[in-house]
Amino acid sequence: MTTSIFKFDLGVLGAKIATRQDGKVLFDDVNAALLRYDLVEIDFALRNVTPSFADECIGGVVKLHGFAYFKSHIKLINVSDDARSLLKHVISRRAEQSLA
Protein backbone atom coordinates (compact mmCIF):
# COMPACT_ATOMS: atom_id res chain seq x y z
CA MET A 1 0.00 0.00 0.00
CA THR A 2 1.36 3.39 -0.95
CA THR A 3 0.51 6.68 0.67
CA SER A 4 -0.11 9.65 -1.55
CA ILE A 5 1.40 12.85 -0.17
CA PHE A 6 0.83 16.47 -1.11
CA LYS A 7 3.38 19.04 0.05
CA PHE A 8 2.86 22.73 0.78
CA ASP A 9 6.03 24.84 1.12
CA LEU A 10 5.27 27.97 3.14
CA GLY A 11 8.75 29.28 2.34
CA VAL A 12 7.60 30.24 -1.16
CA LEU A 13 4.62 32.22 0.11
CA GLY A 14 6.74 35.14 1.32
CA ALA A 15 4.69 37.54 3.40
CA LYS A 16 1.48 35.64 2.71
CA ILE A 17 1.59 33.79 6.03
CA ALA A 18 0.49 36.63 8.26
CA THR A 19 -3.19 37.43 8.06
CA ARG A 20 -6.36 35.50 8.79
CA GLN A 21 -7.24 35.87 5.10
CA ASP A 22 -3.90 34.27 4.13
CA GLY A 23 -4.68 31.44 6.54
CA LYS A 24 -8.11 30.95 4.97
CA VAL A 25 -6.54 30.59 1.51
CA LEU A 26 -4.20 27.86 2.74
CA PHE A 27 -7.03 26.26 4.78
CA ASP A 28 -9.05 25.92 1.57
CA ASP A 29 -6.02 24.52 -0.31
CA VAL A 30 -5.27 22.00 2.46
CA ASN A 31 -8.88 20.80 2.54
CA ALA A 32 -8.89 20.39 -1.24
CA ALA A 33 -5.67 18.38 -1.02
CA LEU A 34 -7.15 16.18 1.73
CA LEU A 35 -9.84 15.08 -0.71
CA ARG A 36 -7.22 13.70 -3.10
CA TYR A 37 -4.26 12.67 -0.93
CA ASP A 38 -3.74 10.48 2.11
CA LEU A 39 -1.29 12.87 3.75
CA VAL A 40 -0.76 16.61 3.50
CA GLU A 41 2.68 17.84 4.51
CA ILE A 42 3.10 21.51 5.40
CA ASP A 43 6.71 22.70 5.35
CA PHE A 44 7.08 25.84 7.47
CA ALA A 45 10.65 26.36 6.20
CA LEU A 46 11.54 27.55 9.73
CA ARG A 47 9.38 30.63 9.20
CA ASN A 48 7.29 32.17 11.91
CA VAL A 49 3.58 32.63 11.42
CA THR A 50 1.15 34.96 13.12
CA PRO A 51 -1.49 33.74 15.54
CA SER A 52 -4.19 34.82 13.07
CA PHE A 53 -2.72 32.76 10.24
CA ALA A 54 -2.09 29.72 12.45
CA ASP A 55 -5.58 29.81 13.93
CA GLU A 56 -7.36 30.21 10.58
CA CYS A 57 -5.35 27.59 8.72
CA ILE A 58 -4.10 24.94 11.13
CA GLY A 59 -6.72 25.57 13.81
CA GLY A 60 -9.46 25.53 11.21
CA VAL A 61 -8.40 22.11 9.94
CA VAL A 62 -8.35 20.74 13.50
CA LYS A 63 -11.77 22.21 14.28
CA LEU A 64 -13.31 20.91 11.04
CA HIS A 65 -11.85 17.40 11.04
CA GLY A 66 -10.96 16.77 14.69
CA PHE A 67 -7.59 16.18 16.30
CA ALA A 68 -7.32 12.46 15.50
CA TYR A 69 -7.87 13.07 11.79
CA PHE A 70 -5.46 16.02 11.82
CA LYS A 71 -2.81 13.93 13.53
CA SER A 72 -3.09 11.12 11.00
CA HIS A 73 -3.43 13.21 7.82
CA ILE A 74 -1.39 16.37 8.38
CA LYS A 75 2.36 16.52 8.92
CA LEU A 76 4.01 19.79 9.98
CA ILE A 77 7.73 19.96 9.22
CA ASN A 78 10.54 22.49 9.65
CA VAL A 79 8.61 24.34 12.34
CA SER A 80 10.63 26.99 14.20
CA ASP A 81 10.62 26.91 18.01
CA ASP A 82 8.46 30.04 18.18
CA ALA A 83 5.97 28.69 15.66
CA ARG A 84 5.94 25.29 17.40
CA SER A 85 4.68 26.73 20.69
CA LEU A 86 2.06 28.83 18.88
CA LEU A 87 0.87 25.85 16.82
CA LYS A 88 0.63 23.60 19.90
CA HIS A 89 -1.56 26.22 21.59
CA VAL A 90 -3.77 26.68 18.50
CA ILE A 91 -4.14 22.94 17.93
CA SER A 92 -5.05 22.17 21.54
CA ARG A 93 -7.56 25.04 21.72
CA ARG A 94 -9.23 24.06 18.44
CA ALA A 95 -9.22 20.36 19.36
CA GLU A 96 -11.34 21.24 22.39
CA GLN A 97 -13.75 23.14 20.14
CA SER A 98 -14.06 20.22 17.73
CA LEU A 99 -15.37 18.08 20.61
CA ALA A 100 -18.07 20.56 21.59
Side-chain angles (χ1 to χ4, degrees), residues 77-90:
I77 63 169
N78 294 321
V79 179
S80 72
D81 291 339
D82 289 339
R84 183 176 317 280
S85 64
L86 170 64
L87 291 171
K88 282 182 179 181
H89 172 75
V90 165

Side-chain angles (χ1 to χ4, degrees), residues 18-74:
T19 67
R20 193 164 285 281
Q21 183 176 358
D22 297 337
K24 176 69 168 117
V25 170
L26 188 59
F27 168 82
D28 291 339
D29 291 345
V30 167
N31 281 307
L34 286 169
L35 295 173
R36 297 187 60 211
Y37 297 91
D38 300 317
L39 181 67
V40 173
E41 186 176 277
I42 303 172
D43 185 346
F44 281 78
L46 300 176
R47 305 212 35 222
N48 287 324
V49 295
T50 64
S52 295
F53 178 88
D55 184 57
E56 191 67 35
C57 178
I58 304 302
V61 172
V62 173
K63 184 177 179 187
L64 179 65
H65 297 287
F67 179 69
Y69 181 89
F70 175 85
K71 190 173 169 183
S72 64
H73 294 295
I74 303 288

